[in-house]
């Protein structure tokens, strides 16, 4: 009896001791077990030269400048296409648009009368993270298909609030999940309402890992700002919309700080393509880069890009490493301990070494496609153009034979063709391109299907 009680007593003590250890150990275990949150902030048609921290003289972007000061600012970061739909498909899937079929020449992007959207067989960042237990939300412009099975809620997002295609396409509806809730969308308040949704999502999901994709509608033309920002920027209405986005980014970052999530959240900010130059003062600026949206000159595809993760990314870093929206899926998957798709070719890399400063970028190449045509290719600092075309020009594209060669780190504005001086480099890039072509046969375009009635009406 005594013996049994003694043992029971000892067992109780042991249980209490283990309990205390568990309680003491819990926060550490929880922190180690909990993968990081991800927030991707995506502007529309914002140029390389449109932020204060990228040298714009009159657009004020204190929040984004602060994000750069507390994190990393990229100077050689690319999207995979110079227009919306293919660029977004590449970000979501980590694949060139030619692989997902989300490319086209005519049309270049999806329209309200498009029949198809992104295939549900594509695996998005949201799906990769959802399989790892993440809560996922898409807020803002989607533009990868406005009908099932291509809506955000079909492609790995638990919820959706935003416009399904560009804000100049009529009628531009506002949707919640699969339902249209406003048509046409009241655009003046879109950035405000996106921000409210985004902040609410972060607050609601603060206790588990989450992925927020917040794709702003602006500064895509037509430009709208709320009363609070309208008429306030020295840069005019374009500046108002960028400054409102800047405010919104600040709200998201402050929410993360307030909830003590900053040190467990990677926030990435960039834009889908370069500035829409034919809109003149309503379009942005690519700074010292040549041309803009719709062109495979640098201004069309090199973007402002900021990465923020206090404690993990060294504050005030400026990175000249090559990186791309194509890399976000692989990077998020690696950091989350999730599985990137293995049954299909991917075109991205895990750029964690760039973010944590432990090594160079694994990316050496960038391919510049227009539709399914390979227009140019970058290898290291060298860029070879086979065909050039000014964005939205009515003039025919210019074929270069022999191709043009630019050393982008010496000549970021692509002014001086040095092909004649470097035949060895041209030959080396041509060999790499041959390999690439052999492994990258384009899938059929999913953009070409349009509703027949509407096509007839236009004829
Ligand atoms: Mg765009």
């Amino acid at each position: 009896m005594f013996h049994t009680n003694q043992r029971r007593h000892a067992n109780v003590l042991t249980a209490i001791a283990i309990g205390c250890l568990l309680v003491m150990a819990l926060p550490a275990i929880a922190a180690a077990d909990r993968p990081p949150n991800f927030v991707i902030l995506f502007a529309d048609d914002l140029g390389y030269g449109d932020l204060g921290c990228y040298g714009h003289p009159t657009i004020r972007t204190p929040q984004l400048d602060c994000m750069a000061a507390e994190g990393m600012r990229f100077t050689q970061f690319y999207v995979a296409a110079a227009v919306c739909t293919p660029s977004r498909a590449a970000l979501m899937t980590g694949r060139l648009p030619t692989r997902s079929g989300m490319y086209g020449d005519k049309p270049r992007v999806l329209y309200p009368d498009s029949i198809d959207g992104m295939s549900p067989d594509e695996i998005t960042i949201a799906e990769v993270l959802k399989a790892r237990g993440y809560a996922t939300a898409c807020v803002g412009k989607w533009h990868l298909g406005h009908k099932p099975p291509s809506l955000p809620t079909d492609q790995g997002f638990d919820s959706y609030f935003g416009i399904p295609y560009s804000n100049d396409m009529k009628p531009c509806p506002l949707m919640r999940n699969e339902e249209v809730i406003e048509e046409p969308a009241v655009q003046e308040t879109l950035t405000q309402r996106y921000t409210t949704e985004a902040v609410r999502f972060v607050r609601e999901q603060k206790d588990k890992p989450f992925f927020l994709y917040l794709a702003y509608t602006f500064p895509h033309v037509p430009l709208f700002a709320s009363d609070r920002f309208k008429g306030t920027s020295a840069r005019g209405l374009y500046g108002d919309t960028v400054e409102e986005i800047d405010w919104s980014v600040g709200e998201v970052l402050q929410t993360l700080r307030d909830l003590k999530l900053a040190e467990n959240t990677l926030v990435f900010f960039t834009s889908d393509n370069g500035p829409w130059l034919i809109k003149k003062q309503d379009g942005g600026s690519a700074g010292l880069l040549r041309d803009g949206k719709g062109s495979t000159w640098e201004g069309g595809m090199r973007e402002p890009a900021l990465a923020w993760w206090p404690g993990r990314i060294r504050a005030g870093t400026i990175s000249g490493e090559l990186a791309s929206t194509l890399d976000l899926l692989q990077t998020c998957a690696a950091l989350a301990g999730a599985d990137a798709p293995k049954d299909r070719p991917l075109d991205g890399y895990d750029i964690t070494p760039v973010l944590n400063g432990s090594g160079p970028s694994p990316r050496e190449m960038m391919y510049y496609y227009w539709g399914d045509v390979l227009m140019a290719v970058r290898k290291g600092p060298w860029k070879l153009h086979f065909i050039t075309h000014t964005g939205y020009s009515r003039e025919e594209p210019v074929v270069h034979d022999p191709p043009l060669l630019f050393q982008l780190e010496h000549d970021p504005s692509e002014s001086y063709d040095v092909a004649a001086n470097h035949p060895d480099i041209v030959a080396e890039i041509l060999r790499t391109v041959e390999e690439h072509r052999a492994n990258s046969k384009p899938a059929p375009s999913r953009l070409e299907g349009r509703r027949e009635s509407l096509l007839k009406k236009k004829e």
Side-chain angles (χ1 to χ4, degrees):
M1 193 69 186
F2 176 77
H3 184 76
T4 312
N5 270 347
Q6 198 178 33
R7 186 177 289 169
R8 198 175 287 154
H9 184 63
N11 284 347
V12 168
L13 280 179
T14 309
I16 290 169
I18 290 171
C20 286
L21 276 173
L22 275 178
V23 168
M24 281 159 57
L26 257 178
I29 290 168
D33 270 2
R34 181 172 168 171
N37 311 303
F38 300 103
V39 176
I40 296 178
L41 306 166
F42 208 40
D44 194 347
D45 295 4
L46 182 76
Y48 186 81
D50 280 329
L51 302 181
C53 53
Y54 281 83
H56 198 282
T58 52
I59 300 177
R60 290 164 304 180
T61 52
Q63 300 299 336
L64 288 158
D65 300 352
C66 174
M67 186 178 165
E70 292 178 3
M72 178 174 285
R73 181 167 71 82
F74 286 85
T75 58
Q76 307 200 72
F77 186 90
Y78 291 90
V79 288
V83 287
C84 285
T85 297
S87 170
R88 283 156 204 264
L91 179 151
M92 273 295 142
T93 62
R95 280 150 62 82
L96 286 169
T98 42
R99 294 197 203 274
S100 58
M102 296 299 284
Y103 68 89
D105 180 6
K106 287 170 185 162
R108 298 166 164 136
V109 296
L110 289 168
Y111 285 87
D113 64 335
S114 297
I115 290 165
D116 278 333
M118 191 160 76
S119 165
D121 295 337
E122 289 299 320
I123 297 172
T124 66
I125 302 180
E127 285 167 314
V128 165
L129 295 174
K130 202 171 164 59
R132 180 80 171 89
Y134 278 66
T136 56
C138 175
V139 178
K141 176 177 171 179
W142 177 239
H143 216 180
L144 295 173
H146 54 284
K147 287 186 294 258
S150 301
L151 283 166
T153 48
D154 301 310
Q155 302 274 9
F157 289 100
D158 299 330
S159 64
Y160 173 50
F161 177 84
I163 63 168
Y165 38 74
S166 295
N167 65 331
D168 59 338
M169 298 175 180
K170 290 188 173 73
C172 181
L174 180 68
M175 298 181 72
R176 186 176 290 284
N177 301 325
E178 300 85 25
E179 308 292 327
V180 171
I181 56 169
E182 193 175 290
E183 190 178 88
V186 176
Q187 296 202 30
E188 286 83 351
T189 53
L190 279 181
T191 303
Q192 299 284 325
R193 288 189 282 171
Y194 290 172
T195 309
T196 303
E197 290 286 325
V199 167
R200 185 166 66 211
F201 171 75
V202 170
R203 289 193 179 281
E204 282 173 2
Q205 304 301 332
K206 64 181 170 49
D207 295 323
K208 61 174 167 177
F210 61 80
F211 168 46
L212 167 66
Y213 173 56
L214 170 48
Y216 296 102
T217 289
F218 304 110
H220 192 287
V221 176
L223 301 169
F224 292 97
S226 70
D227 287 344
R228 182 172 160 192
F229 287 89
K230 198 174 173 187
T232 61
S233 172
R235 170 62 178 82
L237 186 53
Y238 183 89
D240 296 342
T241 69
V242 177
E243 292 181 15
E244 187 153 24
I245 287 171
D246 179 73
W247 163 83
S248 173
V249 171
E251 293 296 296
V252 173
L253 298 186
Q254 193 53 45
T255 303
L256 293 168
R257 291 186 193 104
D258 291 346
L259 296 172
K260 309 267 182 279
L261 293 174
E263 293 186 355
N264 198 35
T265 306
L266 169 61
V267 182
F268 207 94
F269 176 92
T270 188
S271 172
D272 68 335
N273 51 251
W276 206 355
L277 299 177
I278 57 162
K279 299 295 177 183
K280 301 180 180 168
Q281 277 147 299
D282 279 348
S285 164
L288 82 176
L289 304 179
R290 186 164 172 175
D291 217 276
K293 176 176 179 174
S295 173
T296 46
W297 292 108
E298 288 293 288
M301 289 172 59
R302 198 195 296 195
E303 298 302 323
L306 308 172
W308 183 88
W309 189 355
R312 291 294 289 272
I313 295 174
R314 207 168 64 138
T317 313
I318 297 170
S319 176
E321 294 292 319
L322 273 192
S324 166
T325 45
L326 285 164
D327 303 327
L328 295 179
L329 181 141
Q330 302 263 55
T331 305
C332 291
L335 289 167
D339 294 320
K342 291 189 177 67
D343 62 342
R344 61 198 67 200
L346 298 181
D347 299 288
Y349 299 90
D350 171 12
I351 58 162
T352 305
V354 178
L355 298 177
N356 65 21
S358 67
S361 175
R363 173 173 291 284
E364 195 192 12
M365 309 289 301
M366 265 314 297
Y367 295 96
Y368 304 67
Y369 278 93
W370 179 250
D372 60 353
V373 178
L374 185 62
M375 307 277 279
V377 57
R378 176 171 181 170
K379 184 170 191 177
W382 303 96
K383 182 173 174 186
L384 198 65
H385 287 268
F386 306 109
I387 308 171
T388 52
H389 192 212
T390 300
Y392 291 85
S393 167
R394 287 173 191 277
E395 285 166 30
E396 288 298 308
V398 181
V399 177
H400 303 282
D401 188 17
L404 307 177
L405 183 73
F406 298 97
Q407 211 284 20
L408 292 177
E409 293 184 348
H410 296 180
D411 179 20
S413 307
E414 298 173 282
S415 303
Y416 312 110
D417 172 24
V418 292
N421 306 338
H422 300 282
D424 49 331
I425 287 164
V426 173
E428 185 196 316
I429 297 176
L430 288 174
R431 271 195 302 276
T432 313
V433 166
E434 226 163 279
E435 272 169 49
H436 170 76
R437 284 190 203 277
N439 300 320
S440 318
K441 296 266 184 281
S445 169
R446 296 180 66 87
L447 270 50
E448 279 156 14
R450 314 283 292 271
R451 262 183 262 157
E452 231 173 79
S453 57
L454 284 162
L455 284 176
K456 271 182 194 153
K457 213 187 287 174
K458 280 179 183 163
E459 277 164 9

